Amino acid sequence: MAENTHSLTDEEIVNFHSLFDPIALVEFLDTSMLYQAGTVTSCAPAYAAMFIEALSDAAVKHGIPRAAAYRLVSAMVEGTGALQVETGKIPAAMKDAVCSPGGATIRGVEALELRGFHGDVMSAVDAVMGD
């Protein structure tokens, strides 16, 4: 039988939030989802680092010094993540907001999708989950 709620008192919840909210995102999930959440949050930093590396390599290829490329790309990833958490917007809406009709961004999105970006990321999680 899955635990559907926590077993903490109201006071313990307040204490928990006062300790962890300043340093982490606290997300309460059903116990049955803990493995999946742990998999995504513990493995994904490697995937994010690979994305940062690849985008930085592209920046270097086009003349940006490596250290600057890492700083710029990492700040962009951090900012995009913070914006999503703050606004609650779905990532597709955030992507659509920066894709001008016929513009450079949508052409880049198309190139990523033609090469299986979305499916590759999902397949990486499936591999860890044993699917």
Side-chain angles (χ1 to χ4, degrees), residues 20-84:
F20 290 101
D21 285 351
I23 61 169
L25 172 67
V26 175
E27 188 73 40
F28 285 92
L29 297 172
D30 186 84
T31 303
S32 65
M33 296 178 201
L34 293 180
Y35 180 69
Q36 295 90 323
T39 296
V40 171
T41 58
S42 65
C43 296
Y47 313 152
M50 292 171 69
F51 175 74
I52 291 168
E53 178 185 32
L55 197 53
S56 297
D57 284 348
V60 169
K61 176 182 176 184
H62 291 281
I64 296 175
R66 179 148 315 267
Y70 284 152
R71 286 191 301 272
L72 289 167
V73 172
S74 294
M76 178 278 303
V77 169
E78 178 183 34
T80 302
L83 182 63
Q84 194 287 317

Side-chain angles (χ1 to χ4, degrees), residues 8 19 26-27 29 37 48-49 62 65 67 81-82 92 99-100 104 108 125 131:
L8 301 175
L19 287 171
V26 175
E27 188 73 40
L29 297 172
H62 291 281
C99 286
S100 303
V125 174
D131 292 353

Side-chain angles (χ1 to χ4, degrees), residues 112-129:
L112 287 170
E113 291 300 343
L114 287 173
R115 286 160 182 82
F117 180 78
H118 214 102
D120 284 348
V121 172
M122 293 179 71
S123 292
V125 174
D126 290 347
V128 175
M129 296 292 298

Side-chain angles (χ1 to χ4, degrees), residues 84 89-99 118:
Q84 194 287 317
K89 287 186 180 180
I90 63 169
M94 295 173 66
K95 174 200 62 154
D96 290 349
V98 296
C99 286
H118 214 102

